[in-house]
Amino acid sequence: MRRRLTQESENTEINVSPLIDLVFILLIFFIVATSFVNEVGITPKHKDTASSSSNLEEPLAFDLPASGQLLQDGMVIGLEQIAPLVRSRSAEKKPSILVRVSPGARAGLATQVMDQAMLGGAQAVKLSPLVQ
Amino acid sequence: MRKKSRLLENNESDAINVSPLIDVVFILLIFFIVSATFVTLPGIEVTRPQAVTGKTLEKNAVIFALSGENEIKYAGSTVQLEEIPTLVEQASKDSGKPVVIQVDQWADASILAKIVAQARKKSSEVSIATRKPRA
C-alpha cells in the first residue's frame, strides 16, 4: 500500500497551501470584524411595579434645572452631599431616588448625580424629564 | 545548483515544515472566532461623564450614542427618539440584549432621560457609559 503511493507520486504529503490560504483569510476577517468594546458604566435600575406604593413613600428627589445647579427640596446642594443624604435615608428603608431634569440640564451632571446616589447605596434611581 | 544539492543532502525534503505555523494560525483563528461579538457601534466618539461606581458592562449590547449636539446616533446614522424601541427589538432578536447609551457630558439631560425611557420599553437593562475610573 505504502509502496504503491510512493510510486504514484514523489511527494506523499498533502498539499496544505490552499488550507493555509483559507485559514488566513478567515483569520483576517475575524481580526477586522472583531470590535473590542470594553464599556464601563452605571445601570440605574428602577422598578416600574412599585409605582403605586412609591407614591405613598416620597422618593428622594433631586432637581436639575437648566441653570446647571443641583437642587434638593428647593435648596442648592453640592455633588458630594448626595451620597450622605441617600445614606441617611437608607437607614429607614430602601431609598428610591428620582432625578428630575429640565431641558437644558447637562447629561454629565445627571449621570454624576445618579452615580453619587448609587454610591450612597440607592437601589432604584429613576431619571425623569421634567415637563414644563 | 550546487547549493540546492547541498540542501537536499542535508534534509530529505526541501519544503519548509509548515505544521507549527498552521497550529499557531488555527489557535489565533479560534481565539478571534470566540471573542467576536459583532456589535454595531454608533460611529461617533463622545466625551463620557465621570463616575465612581462604574462597572464593566455586557459586551454584547445594543449601543446608542447621544452627541454633544443632542443627536441620537445608532449604527452610524442619526435616528429619532420614536425609532428607539423598534431598533432595540430588531437588534436584540428577542434575546433581551441590554442597552448601553454613550452620552456626551455636554448633551441635554432631558433627552437622555427620554432615551432611557424609550429603551426601557424593550430592554430590562439600560446602562449609561461612563469614563473608566482611575485605578
Side-chain angles (χ1 to χ4, degrees):
Chain A
M1 182 66 189
R2 201 175 186 179
R3 207 155 141 213
R4 207 185 62 195
L5 269 171
T6 42
Q7 275 173 357
E8 274 174 8
S9 55
E10 287 173 0
N11 194 356
T12 53
E13 280 175 41
I14 306 163
N15 189 10
V16 285
S17 315
L19 172 74
I20 302 170
D21 290 353
L22 190 72
V23 166
F24 263 117
I25 287 169
L26 279 172
L27 182 67
I28 290 161
F29 167 72
F30 278 104
I31 290 173
V32 171
T34 309
S35 48
F36 293 98
V37 223
N38 203 3
E39 207 71 79
V40 171
I42 54 166
T43 310
K45 291 189 171 85
H46 74 85
K47 297 177 281 298
D48 294 311
T49 47
S51 55
S52 56
S53 61
S54 65
N55 286 339
L56 300 169
E57 45 175 289
E58 188 73 17
L60 192 58
F62 295 99
D63 291 288
L64 270 81
S67 60
Q69 287 167 313
L70 171 62
L71 305 175
Q72 203 274 311
D73 204 15
M75 293 206 294
V76 180
I77 60 159
L79 263 178
E80 66 286 344
Q81 286 172 271
I82 297 170
L85 256 171
V86 174
R87 218 170 275 139
S88 67
R89 187 61 82 89
S90 67
E92 302 152 35
K93 49 189 172 280
K94 275 185 182 174
S96 62
I97 310 297
L98 183 66
V99 182
R100 287 190 291 242
V101 288
S102 306
R106 295 278 150 248
L109 185 64
T111 312
Q112 279 176 315
V113 170
M114 289 191 283
D115 175 51
Q116 289 294 323
M118 284 165 93
L119 185 70
Q123 296 294 314
V125 182
K126 193 182 182 189
L127 188 66
S128 79
L130 197 66
V131 192
Q132 287 180 325
Chain B
M1 191 60 201
R2 208 201 285 163
K3 201 178 175 184
K4 199 185 177 185
S5 64
R6 207 187 60 194
L7 268 170
L8 280 169
E9 273 170 10
N10 279 355
N11 44 356
E12 286 172 356
S13 80
D14 57 346
I16 306 162
N17 188 9
V18 284
S19 317
L21 173 74
I22 303 171
D23 290 354
V24 170
V25 168
F26 262 119
I27 287 168
L28 279 173
L29 183 66
I30 290 160
F31 166 73
F32 279 107
I33 289 174
V34 169
S35 63
T37 40
F38 303 111
V39 278
T40 38
L41 296 171
I44 56 157
E45 199 50 54
V46 295
T47 321
R48 291 166 176 76
Q50 212 120 40
V52 202
T53 59
K55 290 182 191 73
T56 308
L57 303 173
E58 170 80 47
K59 284 185 179 66
N60 197 6
V62 188
I63 305 176
F64 288 96
L66 177 62
S67 73
E69 288 78 40
N70 294 324
E71 283 175 330
I72 306 158
K73 296 277 182 183
Y74 176 73
S77 55
T78 309
V79 294
Q80 295 305 307
L81 204 57
E82 295 77 33
E83 296 173 53
I84 291 172
T86 330
L87 288 169
V88 172
E89 200 168 38
Q90 279 171 1
S92 63
K93 299 182 195 82
D94 49 65
S95 58
K97 276 192 198 177
V99 174
V100 173
I101 302 162
Q102 295 178 341
V103 63
D104 195 285
Q105 61 175 345
W106 302 112
D108 198 317
S110 65
I111 295 170
L112 171 69
K114 283 173 191 159
I115 297 172
V116 172
Q118 292 285 332
R120 211 175 267 282
K121 286 180 185 171
K122 296 290 171 196
S123 177
S124 59
E125 207 179 326
V126 181
S127 310
I128 298 164
T130 59
R131 229 173 280 174
K132 286 178 183 69
R134 305 240 189 290

